[in-house]
Amino acid sequence: MANRSRRTAASVASVASALAVLGALVSCGTESGTADASPRPTALTGRTSGDSPRGTAPSGAVPSGAAASPSDAVPAATGSTDRSETRCRTSELSAAVGRVDPGAGQRNFPVVLTNVSSRTCTLHGHPGAAFVDASGEQLGPDPKRSPGDAVTVTLAPGESAWAGLRYASPGVSGARTATPAALLVTPPDEREPLKVPWRAGPVPVSGNASAVFLTVLEPGDGP
């Protein structure tokens, strides 16, 4: 009986020793990286399958701070030329008042604008006008615009356009008059006038039939 007890104890000790060795091997394998060697999948959180990874620009995007290539630029608009680009500026013109053309109780003058620049430019519509005294004060109201179909007048260097300035003869109308020192002529769509000395005598400034009229510009220097 004593011998059997000793053999049983020895067997249990052998089994325990074997289990201890096996546990040590498993533990060493895990710590050295040989166990669980298959890589774990990266978690894809916060984006769908079509999104770009965080920290990278989507395909076709220009990163912040990078210069766009010429193909990325918005193409320039194309179309008809704006009249403002071709119109005659005040500095490109001279003004003059032509010879009076008397009518039946009327006084008519051509107001002439001439292109004195080196480029071709255009005029369209009515000019502005005002009679002024020697101190620059306006005499009478602004001339009224006579009805008419405006056309674009193209002026090569040295060419002219004219508009008709008309008013009733003061001796016939009985309007109050004043004698201007100058006529200020403002080209269409401009703000700065051209000053033309006035040598045609008194003009109506108030009262009956005192209105002054201007026609649209047309090519040439008078009728």
Side-chain angles (χ1 to χ4, degrees), residues 52 56 61 63 67 112 136 158 168 185:
S52 300
T56 62
V112 183
V185 182

Side-chain angles (χ1 to χ4, degrees), residues 80-222:
S80 60
T81 302
D82 189 344
R83 191 164 62 235
S84 65
E85 297 178 2
T86 63
R87 80 168 185 261
C88 299
R89 312 290 175 170
T90 299
S91 61
E92 298 175 311
L93 299 167
S94 67
V97 176
R99 186 186 300 272
V100 62
D101 179 22
Q106 298 285 325
R107 305 199 78 191
N108 305 286
F109 300 86
V111 177
V112 183
L113 293 173
T114 301
N115 181 4
V116 295
S117 74
S118 59
R119 74 175 185 116
T120 297
C121 59
T122 61
L123 295 171
H124 184 92
H126 295 80
F131 292 111
V132 296
D133 62 18
S135 64
E137 292 295 321
Q138 183 169 336
L139 302 173
D142 292 339
K144 297 181 179 181
R145 294 180 174 184
S146 297
D149 294 329
V151 296
T152 298
V153 182
T154 300
L155 300 181
E159 293 184 336
S160 301
W162 71 281
L165 178 72
R166 172 179 58 85
Y167 54 86
S169 176
V172 175
S173 68
R176 288 184 56 246
T177 65
T179 301
L183 176 69
L184 301 183
V185 182
T186 307
D189 301 314
E190 290 290 292
R191 293 183 180 273
E192 294 298 320
L194 297 161
K195 189 175 184 179
V196 183
W198 183 259
R199 300 186 177 92
V203 300
V205 293
S206 65
N208 294 333
S210 62
V212 179
F213 298 90
L214 268 174
T215 65
V216 296
L217 287 158
E218 54 186 293
D221 57 6

